[in-house]
Amino acid sequence: MKKIRLNKKQQYWLLQIVGWLSIVFVETINYTFFIVRQFVWEYVFQFCLLAVSGLVASHLYKTLFIKPTTFEKSLSKIWGKALLDTFFITLIMVCTFFIPYIFYSPEFFSTTDFLIQFFGQMMNIARYVVVWIIIYYLYHILDRNRIISQQKLIVENLAKTSELELLKSQLNPHFLFNALNSIKALVLIDAEKAREAIIKLSELLRFTLNYEKTPLIRLSDEIDEVVKYLELEKIRFGDRLDVHIDLQEETLDAKVPPAMILTFAENAIKHGITQLPDGGIIEIKSTANSHSLKVEVCNTGELNENETKGIGLKNSSRRLQTLFGEKAELLLKAKSPNKVSVSIIYPLKYSNHE
């Protein structure tokens, strides 16, 4: 058997009709068995009029005066408005109830009985309006909390995913094994250089473990870590690795995402230098104009199509756009038949982080 599923609008109208018609049933039972102790059609007609006026008044009031932004405020403001809404909806219904008297008994409005009946009806009808307000407001408050919880879960999942991707973009474990093996061999040849290499390796590891705590660092600080990494790799590659760093002086204090250039340098070693029997060259350049900063890492080698689809590249691109906006770019291309270039370009003026 196929289940019938109602959308939110259909659910709303179903609850509206059933809810207000239940007043007719409850009041008819109350008057028939406990107040007047007999069935009177006139009372049923009045209860039907009350239900119709309640349905129309509550819907119009909801449409005109209860906006979705109401439920984005604090709970005290939400329930304060709920109290006012109860009063005004009740007032509209009571005024509707007394409209017929304008035509067949206008003098009734100048009597004391009118005031007694008016406030009596206010108290009586307010009972039902309060129920409507509580149900309607609670539904939206709970729905709002559900949306916030879902958004929180999405953000937490994105954070975990980003954290995993950042961990993936940290130094390759193979580098650590190679560096330690190189240092072990260096100990037998030059103990002083081996000691310096151990210091550089420890400083580099400390940097890669702590860099996510700071969204941006100075370019000069980032390059210091890149130099340590490349010097450690040079122990392994020797003359097969040649490094050229050319930084425009005006760019040294510019802010860059930590470990991003370090990741590019590692990729240059992994996908470029290690694939070439004769080794190659790694070049790091930085330039700036009045509007933007460009940092480029070039290495000897050929561009592999898989590199353009890697997680690390997508993660770096997302980091750039998160920090510097949509104008930030990450470009990976073959600069010549035997040279690959990756560059980041982003505006020097931005508002995401200072």
Side-chain angles (χ1 to χ4, degrees):
M1 184 176 178
K2 189 177 180 180
K3 293 182 178 179
I4 299 175
R5 292 187 178 182
L6 303 178
N7 57 37
K8 285 189 174 182
K9 187 175 182 180
Q10 291 171 333
Q11 291 175 8
Y12 166 77
W13 280 111
L14 177 62
L15 292 173
Q16 275 279 73
I17 294 170
V18 172
W20 287 109
L21 284 180
S22 65
I23 293 179
V24 178
F25 176 78
V26 171
E27 289 294 342
T28 300
I29 296 296
N30 187 36
Y31 269 71
T32 301
F33 294 98
F34 302 102
I35 298 179
V36 298
R37 296 181 180 275
Q38 61 177 333
F39 183 82
V40 180
W41 278 107
E42 183 180 353
Y43 290 144
V44 176
F45 175 78
Q46 290 182 0
F47 300 148
C48 289
L49 180 62
L50 174 65
V52 172
S53 65
L55 189 149
V56 174
S58 60
H59 177 69
L60 290 178
Y61 195 89
K62 176 195 79 74
T63 305
L64 298 175
F65 299 103
I66 305 179
K67 303 299 181 182
T69 53
T70 299
F71 305 100
E72 298 175 0
K73 300 176 182 178
S74 63
L75 284 176
S76 59
K77 291 183 178 179
I78 290 175
W79 290 116
K81 178 170 172 51
L83 185 62
L84 290 175
D85 292 344
T86 301
F87 172 78
F88 285 114
I89 293 176
T90 303
L91 182 63
I92 293 171
M93 291 179 64
V94 172
C95 290
T96 303
F97 183 81
F98 282 99
I99 286 176
Y101 288 91
I102 298 175
F103 302 98
Y104 68 83
S105 185
E107 67 275 6
F108 175 72
F109 294 97
S110 61
T111 63
T112 306
D113 289 338
F114 165 73
L115 295 176
I116 295 174
Q117 288 193 33
F118 183 88
F119 288 107
Q121 289 291 349
M122 285 286 291
M123 296 297 293
N124 184 47
I125 294 175
R127 295 178 301 161
Y128 300 106
V129 177
V130 163
V131 174
W132 186 92
I133 287 290
I134 291 174
I135 293 174
Y136 185 81
Y137 270 63
L138 275 179
Y139 170 82
H140 281 279
I141 290 172
L142 294 174
D143 188 59
R144 173 78 178 162
N145 288 338
R146 179 185 59 81
I147 293 172
I148 291 174
S149 297
Q150 288 179 345
Q151 291 175 343
K152 185 179 179 181
L153 287 174
I154 292 171
V155 171
E156 288 176 352
N157 288 333
L158 286 174
K160 289 180 181 178
T161 302
S162 298
E163 184 179 355
L164 289 173
E165 290 179 348
L166 286 173
L167 289 172
K168 290 178 183 178
S169 68
Q170 290 180 353
L171 288 180
N172 193 318
H174 293 294
F175 160 73
L176 297 178
F177 291 116
N178 292 330
L180 289 172
N181 286 329
S182 300
I183 293 171
K184 181 178 71 173
L186 192 61
V187 168
L188 301 175
I189 302 172
D190 191 330
E192 181 61 26
K193 285 186 178 180
R195 187 183 71 84
E196 293 176 0
I198 292 172
I199 293 173
K200 290 176 182 176
L201 180 59
S202 65
E203 291 176 348
L204 190 58
L205 289 175
R206 185 184 300 113
F207 172 75
T208 58
L209 291 173
N210 296 322
Y211 78 82
E212 70 273 8
K213 296 178 181 179
T214 305
L216 295 169
I217 62 172
R218 295 169 68 243
L219 175 62
S220 57
D221 294 334
E222 170 79 0
I223 295 300
D224 286 343
E225 303 304 322
V226 175
V227 169
K228 292 173 187 175
Y229 167 75
L230 293 174
E231 287 179 348
L232 288 170
E233 289 286 28
K234 200 168 177 60
I235 297 173
R236 176 162 65 110
F237 288 97
D239 293 337
R240 291 175 58 213
L241 176 60
D242 196 6
V243 178
H244 297 285
I245 298 178
D246 182 16
L247 305 178
Q248 187 176 323
E249 186 176 354
E250 290 80 3
T251 66
L252 296 179
D253 291 328
K255 301 293 185 179
V256 296
M260 183 169 287
I261 300 172
L262 179 62
T263 301
F264 296 158
E266 184 192 2
N267 288 337
I269 294 289
K270 179 180 178 181
H271 300 291
I273 307 303
T274 57
Q275 309 298 323
L276 304 172
D278 297 329
I281 301 173
I282 292 180
E283 300 174 344
I284 302 176
K285 300 178 182 179
S286 69
T287 56
N289 54 36
S290 58
H291 303 293
S292 61
L293 171 72
K294 178 180 180 181
V295 182
E296 182 179 28
V297 179
C298 299
N299 65 274
T300 308
E302 296 181 357
L303 181 61
N304 189 333
E305 186 178 350
N306 292 331
E307 293 180 52
T308 61
K309 301 177 181 179
I311 293 176
L313 192 67
K314 293 179 181 178
N315 181 52
S316 296
S317 181
R318 281 200 297 268
R319 287 178 67 194
L320 277 178
Q321 293 191 352
T322 299
L323 290 167
F324 306 111
E326 295 181 356
K327 292 184 178 180
E329 292 183 278
L330 189 153
L331 304 174
L332 176 64
K333 60 182 179 180
K335 200 167 185 180
S336 65
N338 64 340
K339 183 178 286 188
V340 177
S341 166
V342 59
S343 56
I344 54 175
I345 305 169
Y346 53 86
L348 286 173
K349 294 182 179 180
Y350 47 89
S351 59
N352 295 61
H353 294 283
E354 294 296 334

